[in-house]
Amino acid sequence: DVQQASQSAAKAMMSQLSGPGVKQVLKPLLEGIKDKQWRTKLGSVEILATMTNCLPKQLAACLPQVVPALCNVINDQHAKVKDAARDALDRVGSIITSPELKSLAPDLISALTDGAQFEHITKEVLDKLLSTSFVHHIDAPSLSLVCPLVQRALKERSAEMKRKGAQIVGSMVLLIKDPKDIQPYLPLLLPQLKVTLVDPIPDVRATAAKAFGTLANGLPEDMLGDVLPWLFQMLRSSESAVERSGAAHGLSEVLMAMGTERIEMLLPDILNNASSRDAPSEVKEGYLGLFVYLPVAMGSAFEPYLLEVLGALLQAQADDVTSVRDIAFRAGQVLTRQFGASHTAMLLTPLEEGVFDVDWRIRHASVQLMGQLIEQILRAHRIPTQSAELMQCDVLPKEWRTHMLASLYIVRSDENGTVKQACAQVWKAVVQNTPRTLKELLPALMTRLIASLASTNREKQRVAARCVGDLVSKLGERVMPELMPIFMNNLSTGDAHVREGVCIGLAELINATTKDLLAMYLDDLIPAIRQAIIDDIDTVRSSASVVVALLHNAVGPRATADVVTWVLAQLADVEAEDDGHLFLNGLEQLMAKQPGAVLPIVLSTLSVEPEDGYMPFQVRGLASIAVVPDGHTVHRHLSDVLPPLIKIASGEDEELREVALESAGRVMDVVEQNGLHLLFAELVGVVKDSENARRRAAGAKLLERFFDRTSLDIVSTLPVVLPAILPVALADEDEDALVTGMRTLNIIVKKCKKEELAPYMGDVRNAVLSLITDPRTNVVDQDKLLPGLCEHNGLEPLYPIYQQGLMFGSAEARELAAKGLGELVDHTTEAALKPYVVRITGPLIRIVGDRFPGTVKKAIVDTLKSLLLRGGATLKPFLPQLQTAYVKCLADSTEAVRQKAAESLGILVRLSARTEPLLNELAGNVSTHADPAVRHSMALALGEVLLNVPTPASEAAQEKIIDALAPRALGSEGETREREAAAWAFAMLLRRHSEASRAEEILREQVEPGLKDDQTGVVHGSAFVLAGACWCQTEKLPAPPEPLLARLQAVALPVLPRLLADGDAEVQAAGAVLAAALATLHAAAALPWGKLASCEDKLAVVVAPGSLVPASTALAAARHYAAAASASGVGGGGKLAAAVAARATDRGCQIPEHAERAMAAALCYAGGGEAQVQAALDRVAGTLDAKSAKELRDYASKRLSSIARHAAP
């Protein structure tokens, strides 16, 4: 009674529960079923059973949880729990409203309770479900029993069970009244259905895919959850092709169910992923696989996407991954099977384009698909596919049939063997009688061939051309009469692509036909080819030139000669000027294809100047050799092409000059490394042409263009080109040549590394020397300026060459570099030198301080001296370093270095503000240095500094200098040259630094007594001091003030005759020097020459042969004496000139220039040339006796030009 009452209460309560109430009750009941106490389980089960009394809406909400919970305890160990669970399931079955499922309820419950252990029970129930014809909707209680069973089936290992489970899922969706009824079961079913969709067995995947499509069709999209994203994700899966295939099939069904609008929205992204080159292969494979199933799923609804999809599938055939190509081909096969018979025209267009694609794999797939397309059409009309004659079948319009067969026949000539074989198989399948079919096809085939030959698709052109050759070789005379008129007509009237295609076809035709057959059409062919060779489209011209070359090989040189001669004639036609570039381009095409036949004709015609002169396009025609592919041929004919071009470039017509330079440049551009010697053999001679400035300018411009553009190694050309271009760049009289030469020189230096240029310093220096050396006397003209250096920044390319040798070369290289730099400095202006002074001076100072041979140091000191003279104030920052370097060089072991350092210090002090330390240092070394040679150098340097320093030395310095010099100058010890150097320095101190009274005092107290001394050394030194004190020269040593002047005269004039007549060579030499010094004093102070002139005969004796005085000293004294006399208007006597002539021919005279300079002064020659020298010679010789006059004439008449160079100042 209590149980019944409680059950009644439970039923009543359950029947009145609301939705929230059900939720509140259900949770503890489900927890109770899981309890370990059987009574708790039993109570929970019994109460759950009463939930069948709930309202339908609440019942539908709770059953998805209740039934699985009951199934879990249906086999409980306790019998009462087990029976209660079975009773509860029976009560669920009793409330099913669907008659069809109500009758199956016991079976369903049996399968749920025992099916897990006995698979055949579940299988039998599934079969019953699938075999039942439903006419009523399935309600929630039905679903609560079916869905757990289906879930179990989907989990089974058996493919059959999974397939049946998937089928039932699809069927259930169609039978439910309200989608919300199945919604609670979707979280259980969808995961298992997803697993089934990627099952290894295709049939299972297909059934699952259809189930997904049914779900998508019958349920709202929001109920499907992540199905669509998951399908796209699996489509990209990298795990296996099975997953991608299942996803593709499922997605196609789902998309079809969602409608065409959704497909249109997603299709661009699908195609993009399928055809993207950057996408991974598995992604492409997955998306392409979608089209294996989508066309079938959509049926006719797929038609709008047919063209776009087929194009993507064909392009996928070019993919590098085999699996991608395979799935794309499968999809293509599906399309042709599905739509081949119904949409033939739509499929035919992309397939015909595909058979001519650039990629052979696309061509191969297109041919196979076209064969399948034909097969589908034949099958649709019940025509046997093995013995069909497509041309005779009316299954398609004739135009379509001819189109397809023409394409197939053309592709039979494909260059790829796989494509060719596939095409042959298709052809054999649809054509049983090839000759008859070709006869019918020929008009359409020719139209297709012309169209294909005119295509921009190169593969299409090549295949069509080979097809023409195949036709001609097979049918020969039968097709030539029809082919040639078509070709000729299209060659003259078609568009550019057609004309190019015709030329390509003609080339194959010529290769395939016989010489005799070709000769029949030659007269018609050549005029047409002439027009094609000057076509305004380059590809047409190129193809036409190939035809000419093939004709040449086939029928002989007539074809080439006719065409080339005609083109050359047009180049000379003034009226053809507007189209001249077309004729020129045509000529170049011919030249490129058959240089051996064309080049002789061009050279024989254009290398000789026409009677009416060259036309611009004729000049350019000469340069057509530049397109010859064989460099050796170009090199051999440089001597034929460049001379006429250079001649034109040197002419008067400015337009032709520019054209010739441009044309020669084109030829030079193609010269290769092994042809450079031939090129420069032509150009160097032009640059060296001393007679024609225009030729030099033209040669320089060509060299400039060559070096500016070439990428060849030009170092090997430097020994040839540098001696040629340097004279033009530095000293050409023609401004155009000069400027161009300098640009060329700059380009050469920039092209080469300094290390590569340094070995050619000798060539550079020799070239510079040749420009500054008098060719008659072979003596460097120190006053000559090189315009290239002065006006065109010529130091820029040259100084880096020398600097490299100076810094990193051998001792000989450093010497050469220093001399070369000095020559550049000597022959440029201060303004041009200024930007480079610092860059040149720094390295020189660094090198001169290192341990190098004297020859290197002398060359560097010489160059630094030149820089001091030319650079001026620009060198002020370097003066301290220079002074230190020079003082160091005064102690060098090489005399020449010491001599140049002393001279250079004299120049340096002109710029220096602080000279007192230098004077003190030099005076100290003169006094104390142990080496006589160094003391001599120090004394020389001190004399130069005292002569050139701008301001007088301080009294303290003067006294120190006097203390240092007096013993050396006026003493009897020491070497002669040391005494003379000290005496000169002493004299410079008296003349330029001491007060006049102090100078008189020293003369009186120290010099005059010395002149009377018994020791010849003292007399010699005193005489040299007196001579130095008397010496006058412009600006630096003007005439002394009156008191000192009178004192000098009073002391010198009386003693001079005695000194000249002295028996000691040193004293006599001092007398000669004093005579010259007194002459300069008389000239500067305008003193009367009476007393001095009386000593001239004695001076002549000293100068004449047999004298004890060295020739250099005697001749120098004679030169200065005669020059001063000439400047004073007194004129030298004939005896002095005769003495100079006699001494010049004496063996003791080792430097002829000394005698020549002395002779110029003795003859009172003041400039004008050899005639003036001869006149002076005659005048002076007239004052002499016959013997002396003869000796004078014999000497001077042979040296008129040399003497003329030494005009008296």
Side-chain angles (χ1 to χ4, degrees):
D1 293 338
V2 174
Q3 288 179 345
Q4 290 178 355
S6 63
Q7 288 175 358
S8 298
K11 289 179 183 179
M13 182 178 66
M14 290 297 177
S15 64
Q16 299 300 319
L17 279 177
S18 63
V22 170
K23 290 181 182 179
Q24 292 293 326
V25 172
L26 187 61
K27 185 174 181 181
L29 292 176
L30 293 175
E31 291 294 330
I33 286 181
K34 298 177 183 178
D35 198 280
K36 294 182 179 180
Q37 296 294 324
W38 67 270
R39 289 187 179 86
T40 305
K41 288 183 183 180
L42 179 62
S44 298
V45 168
E46 288 176 344
I47 296 175
L48 283 174
T50 62
M51 295 189 78
T52 56
N53 297 302
C54 291
L55 295 173
K57 185 176 181 181
Q58 281 72 31
L59 185 62
C62 67
L63 284 178
Q65 298 178 67
V66 170
V67 172
L70 294 173
C71 290
N72 288 336
V73 295
I74 196 71
N75 293 316
D76 195 85
Q77 293 179 350
H78 201 283
K80 290 185 177 181
V81 174
K82 184 176 180 180
D83 292 341
R86 180 61 181 254
D87 181 62
L89 287 175
D90 289 340
R91 294 180 67 178
V92 171
S94 66
I95 61 173
I96 293 174
T97 59
S98 170
E100 294 86 356
L101 280 176
K102 192 174 184 69
S103 63
L104 292 174
D107 295 327
L108 290 171
I109 294 170
S110 176
L112 287 173
T113 56
D114 303 323
Q117 297 176 342
F118 305 102
E119 184 179 323
H120 68 279
I121 298 175
T122 303
K123 183 179 178 183
E124 289 172 0
V125 174
L126 292 176
D127 289 338
K128 288 180 181 180
L129 281 172
L130 290 171
S131 62
T132 301
S133 298
F134 289 87
V135 294
H136 297 87
H137 290 292
I138 298 177
D139 56 0
S142 304
L143 290 174
S144 68
L145 296 178
V146 173
C147 287
L149 186 62
V150 171
Q151 182 188 11
R152 182 186 297 168
L154 292 174
K155 288 182 178 180
E156 292 290 345
R157 297 180 63 183
S158 168
E160 183 182 4
M161 295 284 281
K162 286 188 278 190
R163 183 175 54 79
K164 290 178 179 179
Q167 280 182 297
I168 293 172
V169 171
S171 301
M172 285 193 304
V173 176
L174 298 175
L175 296 173
I176 59 175
K177 185 176 183 180
D178 187 352
K180 291 183 179 178
D181 289 345
I182 201 172
Q183 186 174 3
Y185 302 100
L186 292 178
L188 301 174
L189 296 176
L190 287 179
Q192 290 305 126
L193 199 59
K194 289 178 181 178
V195 174
T196 308
L197 185 63
V198 295
D199 194 85
I201 299 174
D203 189 39
V204 174
R205 294 199 301 272
T207 307
K210 291 186 181 296
F212 269 113
T214 308
L215 287 172
N217 188 45
L219 299 177
E221 188 174 342
D222 59 340
M223 284 191 182
L224 295 176
D226 67 341
V227 168
L228 195 61
W230 177 82
L231 288 171
F232 275 109
Q233 180 184 348
M234 295 307 294
L235 208 61
R236 295 169 168 266
S237 172
S238 59
E239 294 298 323
S240 71
V242 169
E243 291 183 353
R244 294 191 290 271
S245 176
H249 199 167
L251 185 59
S252 65
E253 296 288 346
V254 170
L255 290 178
M256 179 58 193
M258 289 182 172
T260 56
E261 290 184 2
R262 192 60 173 270
I263 293 175
E264 287 179 0
M265 182 179 73
L266 293 174
L267 190 61
D269 182 63
I270 293 171
L271 288 173
N272 182 56
N273 280 282
S275 58
S276 173
R277 292 184 178 180
D278 299 328
S281 59
E282 59 269 13
V283 173
K284 288 186 280 188
E285 182 184 340
Y287 278 92
L288 287 168
L290 192 60
F291 299 115
V292 174
Y293 309 104
L294 197 58
V296 178
M298 293 180 65
S300 60
F302 193 77
E303 179 186 343
Y305 320 112
L306 197 55
L307 276 177
E308 193 173 4
V309 171
L310 182 56
L313 295 177
L314 290 176
Q315 289 304 310
Q317 292 301 313
D319 199 89
D320 294 333
V321 180
T322 304
S323 59
V324 174
R325 297 197 301 272
D326 290 345
I327 197 70
F329 186 70
R330 278 182 57 202
Q333 288 178 312
V334 170
L335 287 181
T336 52
R337 281 197 301 267
Q338 190 76 11
F339 302 102
S342 58
H343 297 79
T344 305
M346 193 176 291
L347 293 174
L348 197 55
T349 301
L351 291 178
E352 284 194 329
E353 291 178 359
V355 297
F356 295 109
D357 196 271
V358 176
D359 192 286
W360 72 268
R361 289 173 293 200
I362 294 178
R363 300 198 301 275
H364 183 227
S366 299
V367 167
Q368 289 179 299
L369 291 175
M370 185 178 285
Q372 184 176 326
L373 176 64
I374 296 172
E375 184 179 339
Q376 287 297 116
I377 296 168
L378 294 174
R379 283 180 177 174
H381 291 81
R382 300 182 182 279
I383 298 174
T385 57
Q386 298 303 317
S387 59
E389 185 70 66
L390 182 61
M391 200 63 192
Q392 309 304 320
C393 297
D394 294 330
V395 294
L396 290 172
K398 186 175 182 180
E399 181 182 355
W400 291 12
R401 283 177 279 154
T402 55
H403 238 276
M404 294 170 75
L405 289 173
S407 296
L408 286 172
Y409 187 80
I410 292 171
V411 181
R412 286 180 66 192
S413 301
D414 198 279
E415 60 187 355
N416 183 274
T418 305
V419 178
K420 186 186 293 187
Q421 183 179 3
C423 193
Q425 289 174 350
V426 175
W427 178 268
K428 288 178 182 178
V430 297
V431 176
Q432 307 306 317
N433 190 329
T434 297
R436 184 180 68 184
T437 302
L438 276 180
K439 187 175 181 181
E440 292 183 55
L441 271 181
L442 194 58
L445 181 60
M446 287 309 302
T447 303
R448 288 303 309 278
L449 283 173
I450 294 295
S452 296
L453 289 169
S455 172
T456 55
N457 183 327
R458 296 300 173 195
E459 180 59 31
K460 214 170 188 178
Q461 282 185 336
R462 290 196 296 269
V463 172
R466 282 192 292 271
C467 185
V468 169
D470 184 59
L471 267 177
V472 173
S473 63
K474 288 181 178 177
L475 302 180
E477 296 181 0
R478 286 186 289 172
V479 294
M480 283 290 282
E482 296 183 41
L483 278 176
M484 292 307 292
I486 296 173
F487 276 156
M488 294 303 99
N489 181 56
N490 282 282
L491 194 58
S492 58
T493 62
D495 65 16
H497 294 305
V498 172
R499 297 196 299 274
E500 180 189 359
V502 170
C503 290
I504 295 172
L506 281 172
E508 288 293 333
L509 183 148
I510 293 168
N511 281 328
T513 192
T514 63
K515 178 178 180 180
D516 294 337
L517 193 58
L518 197 58
M520 294 171 58
Y521 297 94
L522 199 58
D523 291 337
D524 296 326
L525 189 56
I526 286 179
I529 292 299
R530 284 177 180 173
Q531 295 304 315
I533 207 71
I534 60 166
D535 198 276
D536 55 354
I537 303 299
D538 181 64
T539 53
V540 178
R541 294 194 299 271
S542 177
S543 300
S545 64
V546 173
V547 174
V548 175
L550 292 172
L551 282 174
H552 180 92
N553 295 333
V555 299
R558 175 192 163 188
T560 302
D562 283 356
V563 175
V564 174
T565 305
W566 177 77
V567 171
L568 292 176
Q570 304 309 307
L571 292 177
D573 188 356
V574 179
E575 297 180 0
E577 187 171 345
D578 293 340
D579 298 325
H581 67 285
L582 298 178
F583 292 100
L584 186 62
N585 291 336
L587 178 62
E588 290 180 353
Q589 290 287 357
L590 292 167
M591 183 73 79
K593 298 298 188 304
Q594 37 182 161
V598 177
L599 188 56
I601 303 173
V602 172
L603 291 178
S604 63
T605 305
L606 297 182
S607 61
V608 180
E609 184 174 2
E611 294 182 3
D612 299 331
Y614 280 103
M615 297 298 290
F617 282 108
Q618 287 179 301
V619 178
R620 292 189 174 99
L622 268 173
S624 62
I625 191 176
V627 302
V628 173
D630 177 27
H632 181 64
T633 302
V634 177
H635 299 162
R636 280 192 297 112
H637 292 283
L638 286 175
S639 58
D640 298 319
V641 174
L642 286 180
L645 288 175
I646 293 171
K647 182 179 179 182
I648 300 167
S650 308
E652 298 181 357
D653 189 315
E654 185 176 353
E655 179 187 0
L656 280 179
R657 286 206 303 270
E658 292 301 320
V659 172
L661 288 172
E662 177 191 346
S663 300
R666 282 193 64 204
V667 176
M668 293 190 302
D669 288 343
V670 300
V671 173
E672 298 170 357
Q673 191 72 41
N674 57 0
L676 287 181
H677 65 289
L678 296 172
L679 173 62
F680 281 91
E682 299 297 327
L683 296 182
V684 167
V686 178
V687 176
K688 288 183 175 181
D689 188 343
S690 59
E691 304 296 328
N692 191 327
R694 280 185 177 171
R695 272 175 61 80
R696 293 197 302 277
K701 287 176 181 177
L702 290 177
L703 284 173
E704 177 190 10
R705 187 187 189 280
F706 173 78
F707 285 116
D708 186 43
R709 299 192 181 191
T710 187
S711 58
L712 301 176
D713 179 11
I714 62 170
V715 176
S716 61
T717 69
L718 295 180
V720 177
V721 75
L722 285 177
I725 199 63
L726 279 167
V728 179
L730 297 177
D732 202 283
E733 298 172 353
D734 182 76
E735 182 67 15
D736 188 21
L738 183 72
V739 172
T740 308
M742 185 54 68
R743 286 202 304 264
T744 305
L745 189 58
N746 273 292
I747 291 170
I748 293 172
V749 172
K750 288 177 182 177
K751 283 275 185 179
C752 300
K753 297 177 182 178
K754 292 179 181 179
E755 298 83 0
E756 296 171 335
L757 289 166
Y760 303 99
M761 286 188 301
D763 296 321
V764 175
R765 183 168 182 249
N766 290 337
V768 174
L769 283 173
S770 69
L771 299 176
I772 59 177
T773 302
D774 188 328
R776 295 178 301 172
T777 62
N778 203 29
V779 176
V780 173
D781 183 353
Q782 296 294 343
D783 298 324
K784 185 173 183 178
L785 295 176
L786 297 177
L789 296 176
C790 302
E791 301 167 17
H792 299 290
N793 207 23
L795 282 170
E796 181 65 30
L798 296 181
Y799 96 87
I801 302 175
Y802 285 133
Q803 193 174 53
Q804 179 69 22
L806 183 70
M807 297 297 293
F808 306 105
S810 62
E812 293 77 8
R814 292 174 195 264
E815 179 185 359
L816 189 150
K819 288 180 178 178
L821 282 171
E823 287 149 5
L824 295 181
V825 171
D826 286 338
H827 299 280
T828 189
T829 59
E830 183 177 345
L833 178 62
K834 186 175 180 180
Y836 302 95
V837 166
V838 174
R839 284 184 273 180
I840 295 174
T841 306
L844 288 171
I845 293 175
R846 287 196 294 273
I847 298 300
V848 79
D850 290 341
R851 294 181 179 179
F852 287 108
T855 52
V856 176
K857 291 187 177 182
K858 178 182 178 298
I860 294 175
V861 173
D862 274 338
T863 301
L864 287 171
K865 179 182 176 182
S866 298
L867 282 166
L868 282 170
L869 291 171
R870 292 279 186 192
T874 314
L875 277 173
K876 278 193 174 182
F878 290 101
L879 292 183
Q881 296 167 266
L882 281 171
Q883 180 175 306
T884 302
Y886 284 143
V887 172
K888 185 177 180 180
C889 286
L890 290 174
D892 194 83
S893 58
T894 305
E895 183 176 1
V897 176
R898 299 197 301 271
Q899 176 77 23
K900 290 294 180 181
E903 295 172 4
S904 299
L905 276 173
I907 300 169
L908 182 143
V909 293
R910 299 176 193 171
L911 306 172
S912 180
R914 296 179 68 252
T915 56
E916 198 86 358
L918 176 62
L919 289 170
N920 291 331
E921 182 178 4
L922 293 175
N925 283 321
V926 168
S927 175
T928 61
H929 206 286
D931 189 342
V934 175
R935 291 199 302 270
H936 170 247
S937 301
M938 295 292 177
L940 282 177
L942 185 57
E944 291 294 328
V945 171
L946 291 171
L947 173 64
N948 289 281
V949 67
T951 56
S954 66
E955 290 186 8
Q958 289 184 38
E959 291 303 321
K960 185 173 182 179
I961 293 170
I962 291 172
D963 291 342
L965 291 176
R968 300 297 181 189
L970 302 175
S972 60
E973 297 179 0
E975 296 180 1
T976 301
R977 62 176 188 162
E978 181 186 351
R979 188 183 306 118
E980 290 174 354
W984 170 256
F986 200 177
M988 291 304 100
L989 180 70
L990 298 179
R991 278 291 303 274
R992 294 199 71 245
H993 298 268
S994 300
E995 295 289 340
S997 59
R998 175 62 173 154
E1000 287 184 62
E1001 179 184 346
I1002 292 174
L1003 284 173
R1004 183 175 59 254
E1005 294 179 358
Q1006 297 189 46
V1007 176
E1008 288 183 32
L1011 292 171
K1012 300 173 184 177
D1013 199 275
D1014 295 334
Q1015 299 182 61
T1016 57
V1018 176
V1019 176
H1020 170 249
S1022 301
F1024 257 93
V1025 173
L1026 183 59
C1030 292
W1031 188 265
C1032 294
Q1033 64 186 56
T1034 309
E1035 295 181 6
K1036 293 180 183 177
L1037 290 173
E1042 183 56 37
L1044 181 58
L1045 176 63
R1047 187 66 188 171
L1048 289 171
Q1049 283 183 285
V1051 175
L1053 285 173
V1055 78
L1056 179 59
R1058 178 170 60 82
L1059 294 175
L1060 289 172
D1062 197 276
D1064 185 79
E1066 292 181 358
V1067 175
Q1068 200 174 60
V1073 173
L1074 180 59
L1078 278 170
T1080 63
L1081 181 67
H1082 279 65
L1087 298 175
W1089 279 70
K1091 292 183 179 180
L1092 183 58
S1094 64
C1095 297
E1096 184 175 328
D1097 290 347
K1098 292 183 179 180
L1099 177 60
V1101 173
V1102 172
V1103 173
S1107 169
L1108 300 174
V1109 178
S1112 59
T1113 304
L1115 291 171
R1119 173 166 64 87
H1120 288 294
Y1121 179 91
S1126 176
S1128 299
V1130 176
K1135 289 183 179 180
L1136 187 59
V1140 169
R1143 191 61 177 267
T1145 57
D1146 187 64
R1147 293 180 180 178
C1149 182
Q1150 297 179 351
I1151 304 177
E1153 186 180 358
H1154 290 174
E1156 291 164 1
R1157 292 168 66 88
M1159 181 57 70
L1163 296 177
C1164 300
Y1165 169 65
E1170 294 182 20
Q1172 284 71 19
V1173 175
Q1174 185 64 53
L1177 176 60
D1178 293 338
R1179 176 178 54 78
V1180 173
T1183 65
L1184 298 173
D1185 59 75
K1187 181 180 178 182
S1188 299
K1190 183 178 183 304
E1191 289 179 354
L1192 176 62
R1193 290 181 188 279
D1194 288 345
Y1195 169 76
S1197 61
K1198 297 176 182 179
R1199 298 170 176 79
L1200 292 178
S1201 61
S1202 299
I1203 295 171
R1205 290 190 298 108
H1206 304 295

